[in-house]
Amino acid sequence: MTAEKLPIRRALVSVYDKTGLAELARGLHEAGVALVSTGSTARRIADAGVPVTPVEELTGFPECLDGRVKTLHPRVHAGILADRRLADHRRQLAELEVEPFDLVVVNLYPFRETVASGAAPDECVEQIDIGGPSMVRAAAKNHPSVAVVVNPERYGDVLAAAAEGGFDLAARRRLAAEAFQHTAAYDTAVASWFAEEYAPDPAPLPDFAGIAFQRQQVLRYGENPHQPAALYGDGSGTGLAAAEQLHGKEMSYNNYVDTEAARRAAHDHDRPCVAIIKHANPCGIAVGDDVAEAHRKAHACDPVSAFGGVIAVNRPVSVAMAEQVAEIFTEVIIAPEYEEGALSVLTRKKNIRVLRCPDAPAVRRELRPIEGGLLVQERDVFQADGDDPAHWTLAAGQPLDEAGLAGLAFAWRACRAVKSNAILLARDGASVGVGMGQVNRVDSARLAVQRAGAERAAGSCAASDAFFPFPDGLQVLIDAGVKAVVQPGGSVRDQQVIDAAEAAGITMYLTGTRHFFH
Ligand SMILES: NC(=O)c1ncn([C@@H]2O[C@H](COP(=O)(O)O)[C@@H](O)[C@H]2O)c1NC=O
């Protein structure tokens, strides 16, 4: 019976999620399938008018311990696990008077949902399914003899198969693969909860980093056309991976990378903010009284680079902003919402991808694979002290007035979105020159000044994501006419850098907090 279909004559059904159960039971019964089932599943099947054998009748043992023991019995598991390709297994079943199952339909107690609801630990522990995963794993292992179904979305396929002589081996293998994914993800959730919340060890990060992602979309290709790629979801249904695409071509791998960077940049600001990203770096970030103003300012930073950019907004897109964006070739725009009329303006352009994502970025930990391992860190978030201008130290020059300090604070926050080494020049709540990704800070300063141009650089303020190791980078800014600089400080040569600022008569604040971004 290798590749042939395996007729479905007897099914074991035990499901927490009763979606589609009555239709499934009715359809199986009509196809001549005998049903065995547990507690409330059996009751629901009987209520649908379908004959069903309660599992206790099979085991001769009552369900007990508040449902902790229902199907954990040799009469159940021998019926699932017998490899009917083997004469000896068939003989043993006959001797033991165990009838085999051809189909196992199970879904598990809602452990993740219970944890997410904030339930007490005892309740969460009680929702760890034991009998269900045992049946699922047993049936999946024995896929040459049994078909296993863990997803109500498959019930249609089950009924079709039952009416057409059963599943063939390839289909049973796919169902088994799905079943093992289901139990693996389930156990990962349990193990992660134990490691993180229920029985944490004293280290700041848990001793187990379990990841269970499900492929959500096969992408055309990865960073380059010769790289196969796909998008995987974490099952939460939130964040960029779950964003709703309202218009445009399919998102590409690079679109996702840039859109992630754009959202991170735009949501770093409290005021209406627009970030325009190319190759994961900003070519413009600005805040304004409204998103249209913020977009005009962000675009003006570097209109050449903004061509084909990815735009993120931290507020709903207005019609006025949409009209502006529609004038410029844009790969992606993502926003929490689109005001009435804005969408129809944007969708006039065939190629722009328009995404709605109501959630602010909430990645808690950042993961980076290295060969043979994985680096994990908590997300870089703004600190209550170092990132608040009220806690900055004036190291050189005159203190800034409220508006000046707000402008410098914008530069500091915007600089966090720039790949290190990062220097960002800003005026009036908008970046005007960005120096990114250089292997020394002097070149980042030069790039920022060059991008700003002499006129915009003069009188601007500047942020540096990490300390100036020498005065040379700062000197580039001073020579360009920058009036105020914010940087973390912390170099052994801080005094030389501060002296250079003093000598030039510019203001320098130290934050004490660094924001490298690689
Ligand atoms: N303990 C057992 O023997 C057992 N057997 C099946 N279950 C689970 O019980 C649920 C179905 O139970 P009911 O039919 O009573 O609603 C399913 O989610 C199934 O995974 C069990 N419950 C938990 O471990």
Side-chain angles (χ1 to χ4, degrees), residues 139-162:
K141 172 175 175 170
N142 199 28
H143 60 273
S145 298
V146 185
V148 56
V149 171
V150 293
N151 183 351
E153 284 177 19
R154 292 265 172 273
Y155 292 174
D157 300 342
V158 172
L159 294 181

Side-chain angles (χ1 to χ4, degrees), residues 13-18 21 37-44 55 63-73 76-77 105-110 126-136 186:
V13 185
S14 178
V15 290
Y16 179 86
D17 176 1
K18 309 285 195 284
L21 175 63
S37 185
T38 51
S40 73
T41 311
R43 281 195 293 281
R44 195 69 77 86
V55 75
E63 287 192 15
C64 61
L65 310 179
D66 299 320
R68 283 187 171 203
V69 179
K70 318 184 210 187
T71 53
L72 296 163
H73 193 281
V76 173
H77 280 271
V105 180
V106 171
N107 60 59
L108 309 178
Y109 288 172
E126 204 47 51
Q127 291 299 324
I128 299 172
D129 202 320
I130 303 299
S134 307
M135 291 186 286
V136 170
Y186 193 84

